[in-house]
Amino acid sequence: DWGAQIPEGQWNGTLWRGHELGTGFLSPYLWGGRGIEPYASLGIDPKQHAAVRPALEKMWGTGRKNSAEHRQTEEMVRASVRAFLADRKKNGLSVDMPGDVMAWAHQLLYKKAFKRDVTLMEGKVFMVFQLVNLLLDLQSEEEPVIAKVPLLLPILRKQVVSVVRSYEPMV
C-alpha cells in the first residue's frame, strides 16, 4: 500500500509533503513581497516538526494529566465556557454555529498562548480575517479574482501585515 510508505518517505527525505491544504494550493499573491511566509510550516518535514512541536505544546498544550498546569487549563476552559454561555443567555442570544464557537475558540487559544484576553468581537474579527485570507490564498490563480477590485487587495495586504506584526512581540 503506497499510503503506508508516506511517513517513512517523509522521514528519510524521499517524499516531501509541500504546503498544500487538501487539493488547494496556497497562492503567494496575498503574502508575497511582505517578508511573511505563514504557511511554510505546512510543508516542514517530520524532523523539523519534531523540533517545533515542544514549543507548540508549551503554548497550547494542557500539561501532563493531573499536573498543576493541566488542572489550571481545565479550569480555564470550564470558566471560559461558563462565561461564554452565561453571556449569550444574559443578552438573550443563541450560540451562532460555527461563528460564535470559532470566535470563542480564538479567545481561549489566545488566552492560553499569550496570557491575554480578547473580546468575543475581537475573536469574530480575527475569524473573518482568517477566513477571508484562507479563501484568497486557496485560489489557484497567481493573481486572485479579488485583485481586480481596485484598492481592495492593497488594503487586505496591509491588514495581513498588521495582524501578523501584532503577534511578533508575543512570540
Side-chain angles (χ1 to χ4, degrees):
D1 177 42
W2 188 83
Q5 298 172 27
I6 293 174
E8 182 182 343
Q10 287 181 315
W11 272 99
N12 68 27
T14 59
L15 294 175
W16 177 69
R17 183 172 170 270
H19 70 287
E20 72 276 353
L21 292 173
T23 58
F25 287 84
L26 300 171
S27 168
Y29 190 82
L30 190 64
W31 301 88
R34 299 292 182 234
I36 301 169
E37 179 52 69
Y39 300 114
S41 62
L42 291 175
I44 63 176
D45 64 38
K47 291 174 190 164
Q48 292 167 318
H49 179 81
V52 239
R53 180 72 187 238
L56 297 176
E57 285 182 3
K58 186 173 186 210
M59 280 180 93
W60 289 295
T62 60
R64 290 180 176 250
K65 189 133 178 104
N66 298 321
S67 69
E69 181 187 7
H70 187 83
R71 288 189 300 276
Q72 289 168 348
T73 301
E74 280 186 334
E75 183 48 41
M76 182 184 74
V77 171
R78 284 189 183 101
S80 181
V81 168
R82 283 188 213 107
F84 172 74
L85 294 175
D87 179 67
R88 306 312 287 169
K89 186 175 182 178
K90 179 180 105 178
N91 292 305
L93 301 169
S94 61
V95 176
D96 173 43
M97 296 291 277
D100 286 344
V101 174
M102 290 172 70
W104 168 77
H106 174 70
Q107 283 182 296
L108 187 64
L109 292 171
Y110 198 93
K111 183 171 184 87
K112 175 69 178 157
F114 304 118
K115 313 294 186 249
R116 297 179 183 184
D117 291 314
V118 293
T119 66
L120 187 64
M121 184 52 70
E122 289 170 314
K124 285 184 178 193
V125 167
F126 183 80
M127 178 195 69
V128 169
F129 164 80
Q130 208 173 22
L131 291 172
V132 166
N133 283 291
L134 183 61
L135 290 172
L136 287 172
D137 281 344
L138 288 175
Q139 294 185 44
S140 61
E141 304 157 26
E142 182 63 26
E143 182 176 64
V145 173
I146 200 162
K148 294 170 178 51
V149 178
L151 301 178
L152 185 57
L153 196 57
I155 290 169
L156 287 173
R157 278 183 159 172
K158 186 176 181 181
Q159 185 63 27
V160 165
V161 171
S162 174
V163 169
V164 172
R165 298 284 185 241
S166 75
Y167 282 80
E168 287 178 350
M170 296 179 286
V171 179

